[in-house]
Amino acid sequence: MDATDEVIEICRDLLRIDTTNTGDLDTSVGERVAAEYVAEKLAEVGFQPEIHESEPGRASVVARFEGEDPSRDALLIHGHLDVVPADASEWSVDPFGGEIKDGYLWGRGAVDMKDFDAMVLALVRQMKREGRKPPRDVVLAFVADEEAGSTYGAQYLVEHHARHFEGVTEAIGEVGGFSVSVGGDQRLYLIETAEKGIDWLRLHAKGRPGHGSMINDDNAVTALAEAVARVGTHRFPVVLTPTVRAFLEQVSQVLGIELDLDDPEAAVGKIGPIAMIIGATLRNTANPTRLAAGYKDNVIPSRASATIDCRTLPGQSEQFEAELRRIVGPDIELEYIHRQPAIETTFDGDLVAAMSAALRAEDPGALAVPYMLSGGTDAKQFAKLGIRCFGFSPVRLPADLNFGALFHGIDERIPLEGLQFGVRVLDRFLQQS
Ligand SMILES: [Zn+2]
């Protein structure tokens, strides 16, 4: 079977394996089953995949595809096998049914990111069957636990099985390579070259406990609420990183608008729904997400706390912390509960040229542009090994599809043609890589 046919079959099989990652070891399911499926598909054509389990059931698969010239630096292609939960009552199809209708394959993970897993599997299987090799070694990694912080997947592999990644200098993975229509027959393909950092912070307020009926001018709940409101409404200043600046310059050129660097939001506002992601990469952000205080309606507690989901630009974490401390004031204590640094690489070199050329060969209206993801992926883990990470899982999308909303969204689905396009682009890319 040709890879462009098999990709649909494999993606469908993967969607039918429920790999829900709840973030809880007791309730997460299916990663082992998916890993065994992937390993079997690889072994069937002559690969020697290894399955690594970090905890029972939390399985990842790694295999090496030897290239024509194994002395060259290797390329890593990585995808995660887990998905976020789906509430079937909200969907118009069974989220784990792998249904095909209206030219789409539907299911949780269809865009995040069993689509790419399937493209890679279908392509390397075809290459093996045809006796074709990539120009250099390619390491294939299909991992667990991306959706809950990578601890039991990519992070585990990087910390305990780093030998698999020896000689790897560059990587491709998720959230990049998709098309954004900007009018006419022009499509931007957003290549992820940077990711914001993740800083989850807890704010703690202390005060004088007491009876809810009495005067109390040192109430922890009041102090915390005021601090949270100040953080939530604060707009951090625009800081243009090289990636975002390059993105804005290219987009302005394509749209034929003059870029005003003092008002970059004007340009971002013209690129459609993807502005939700891009707009968040112009500045640091801090969104309050959780509140905790008190245990009885008529008791003023001695402490109150809140969680703030902060996302920082590359090189900005110290400045950000200083600004946040100033906003919350000296009486509120800050505690980091989770930290992952931002990453950024340059949009140049042979690998980037190979991406652009492969896209253009399959879509003459394609223009590859770098962008920064406002969230985080497994790339953050692989970057710790000194690997240059790119988000490049190519898919051509219909102009009217709000792709960003499908990530973790209801009725997640991928166009069948998009899947097949991705296989063809990856094939060309790999030949030039
Ligand atoms: Zn993902």
Side-chain angles (χ1 to χ4, degrees), residues 80 112-113 146-147 174-175 407-408:
H80 61 84
D112 184 13
M113 62 170 300
E146 193 276 340
E147 296 294 0
E174 67 176 328
V175 207
F407 281 77
H408 302 186

PDB file of all heavy atoms in Angstrom, residues 80 112-113 146-147 174-175 407-408, ligand 1:
ATOM      1  N   HIS A  80       4.009  12.739  19.937  1.00  0.00           N
ATOM      2  CA  HIS A  80       3.478  12.104  21.145  1.00  0.00           C
ATOM      3  C   HIS A  80       2.247  11.262  20.813  1.00  0.00           C
ATOM      4  O   HIS A  80       1.534  11.542  19.836  1.00  0.00           O
ATOM      5  CB  HIS A  80       3.195  13.118  22.257  1.00  0.00           C
ATOM      6  CG  HIS A  80       2.178  14.178  21.935  1.00  0.00           C
ATOM      7  ND1 HIS A  80       0.827  13.977  22.077  1.00  0.00           N
ATOM      8  CD2 HIS A  80       2.306  15.456  21.500  1.00  0.00           C
ATOM      9  CE1 HIS A  80       0.173  15.094  21.754  1.00  0.00           C
ATOM     10  NE2 HIS A  80       1.046  16.007  21.389  1.00  0.00           N
ATOM     11  N   ASP A 112      -3.663  16.704  17.010  1.00  0.00           N
ATOM     12  CA  ASP A 112      -2.704  16.808  18.124  1.00  0.00           C
ATOM     13  C   ASP A 112      -2.584  15.468  18.817  1.00  0.00           C
ATOM     14  O   ASP A 112      -3.245  15.218  19.795  1.00  0.00           O
ATOM     15  CB  ASP A 112      -3.189  17.902  19.103  1.00  0.00           C
ATOM     16  CG  ASP A 112      -2.209  18.145  20.230  1.00  0.00           C
ATOM     17  OD1 ASP A 112      -1.060  17.678  20.139  1.00  0.00           O
ATOM     18  OD2 ASP A 112      -2.594  18.792  21.209  1.00  0.00           O
ATOM     19  N   MET A 113      -1.663  14.588  18.284  1.00  0.00           N
ATOM     20  CA  MET A 113      -0.944  14.764  17.051  1.00  0.00           C
ATOM     21  C   MET A 113      -0.737  13.434  16.369  1.00  0.00           C
ATOM     22  O   MET A 113       0.316  13.119  15.857  1.00  0.00           O
ATOM     23  CB  MET A 113       0.400  15.475  17.309  1.00  0.00           C
ATOM     24  CG  MET A 113       1.324  14.695  18.206  1.00  0.00           C
ATOM     25  SD  MET A 113       3.028  15.356  18.318  1.00  0.00           S
ATOM     26  CE  MET A 113       3.679  15.332  16.678  1.00  0.00           C
ATOM     27  N   GLU A 146       2.981  13.873  26.641  1.00  0.00           N
ATOM     28  CA  GLU A 146       3.246  15.273  26.291  1.00  0.00           C
ATOM     29  C   GLU A 146       2.193  16.185  26.905  1.00  0.00           C
ATOM     30  O   GLU A 146       2.482  17.305  27.336  1.00  0.00           O
ATOM     31  CB  GLU A 146       3.249  15.450  24.762  1.00  0.00           C
ATOM     32  CG  GLU A 146       3.816  16.791  24.291  1.00  0.00           C
ATOM     33  CD  GLU A 146       2.801  17.929  24.296  1.00  0.00           C
ATOM     34  OE1 GLU A 146       1.585  17.659  24.292  1.00  0.00           O
ATOM     35  OE2 GLU A 146       3.221  19.103  24.306  1.00  0.00           O
ATOM     36  N   GLU A 147       0.966  15.686  26.953  1.00  0.00           N
ATOM     37  CA  GLU A 147      -0.156  16.552  27.328  1.00  0.00           C
ATOM     38  C   GLU A 147      -0.202  16.903  28.813  1.00  0.00           C
ATOM     39  O   GLU A 147      -0.991  17.732  29.225  1.00  0.00           O
ATOM     40  CB  GLU A 147      -1.487  15.908  26.908  1.00  0.00           C
ATOM     41  CG  GLU A 147      -1.647  15.738  25.401  1.00  0.00           C
ATOM     42  CD  GLU A 147      -1.738  17.068  24.645  1.00  0.00           C
ATOM     43  OE1 GLU A 147      -1.685  18.125  25.291  1.00  0.00           O
ATOM     44  OE2 GLU A 147      -1.849  17.028  23.413  1.00  0.00           O
ATOM     45  N   GLU A 174       5.825  18.724  16.600  1.00  0.00           N
ATOM     46  CA  GLU A 174       4.480  19.261  16.377  1.00  0.00           C
ATOM     47  C   GLU A 174       4.370  20.783  16.360  1.00  0.00           C
ATOM     48  O   GLU A 174       5.309  21.507  16.674  1.00  0.00           O
ATOM     49  CB  GLU A 174       3.523  18.696  17.433  1.00  0.00           C
ATOM     50  CG  GLU A 174       3.824  19.186  18.828  1.00  0.00           C
ATOM     51  CD  GLU A 174       2.796  18.686  19.838  1.00  0.00           C
ATOM     52  OE1 GLU A 174       1.622  18.517  19.492  1.00  0.00           O
ATOM     53  OE2 GLU A 174       3.191  18.482  20.999  1.00  0.00           O
ATOM     54  N   VAL A 175       3.177  21.205  16.032  1.00  0.00           N
ATOM     55  CA  VAL A 175       2.664  22.582  15.992  1.00  0.00           C
ATOM     56  C   VAL A 175       3.469  23.507  15.076  1.00  0.00           C
ATOM     57  O   VAL A 175       3.961  24.563  15.473  1.00  0.00           O
ATOM     58  CB  VAL A 175       2.494  23.208  17.400  1.00  0.00           C
ATOM     59  CG1 VAL A 175       1.377  24.264  17.305  1.00  0.00           C
ATOM     60  CG2 VAL A 175       2.127  22.191  18.443  1.00  0.00           C
ATOM     61  N   PHE A 407      -7.200  22.114  18.283  1.00  0.00           N
ATOM     62  CA  PHE A 407      -6.276  21.569  19.283  1.00  0.00           C
ATOM     63  C   PHE A 407      -6.996  21.504  20.623  1.00  0.00           C
ATOM     64  O   PHE A 407      -7.453  22.529  21.135  1.00  0.00           O
ATOM     65  CB  PHE A 407      -5.022  22.447  19.411  1.00  0.00           C
ATOM     66  CG  PHE A 407      -4.025  22.216  18.309  1.00  0.00           C
ATOM     67  CD1 PHE A 407      -4.232  22.743  17.049  1.00  0.00           C
ATOM     68  CD2 PHE A 407      -2.889  21.445  18.522  1.00  0.00           C
ATOM     69  CE1 PHE A 407      -3.327  22.525  16.025  1.00  0.00           C
ATOM     70  CE2 PHE A 407      -1.982  21.218  17.505  1.00  0.00           C
ATOM     71  CZ  PHE A 407      -2.199  21.762  16.251  1.00  0.00           C
ATOM     72  N   HIS A 408      -7.147  20.286  21.140  1.00  0.00           N
ATOM     73  CA  HIS A 408      -7.855  20.051  22.403  1.00  0.00           C
ATOM     74  C   HIS A 408      -9.337  20.430  22.282  1.00  0.00           C
ATOM     75  O   HIS A 408     -10.036  20.543  23.281  1.00  0.00           O
ATOM     76  CB  HIS A 408      -7.233  20.822  23.587  1.00  0.00           C
ATOM     77  CG  HIS A 408      -5.788  20.491  23.820  1.00  0.00           C
ATOM     78  ND1 HIS A 408      -5.072  20.967  24.886  1.00  0.00           N
ATOM     79  CD2 HIS A 408      -4.923  19.722  23.118  1.00  0.00           C
ATOM     80  CE1 HIS A 408      -3.819  20.521  24.833  1.00  0.00           C
ATOM     81  NE2 HIS A 408      -3.709  19.765  23.756  1.00  0.00           N
TER      82      HIS A 408
HETATM   83 ZN    ZN B   1       0.487  17.982  20.950  1.00  0.00          ZN
END
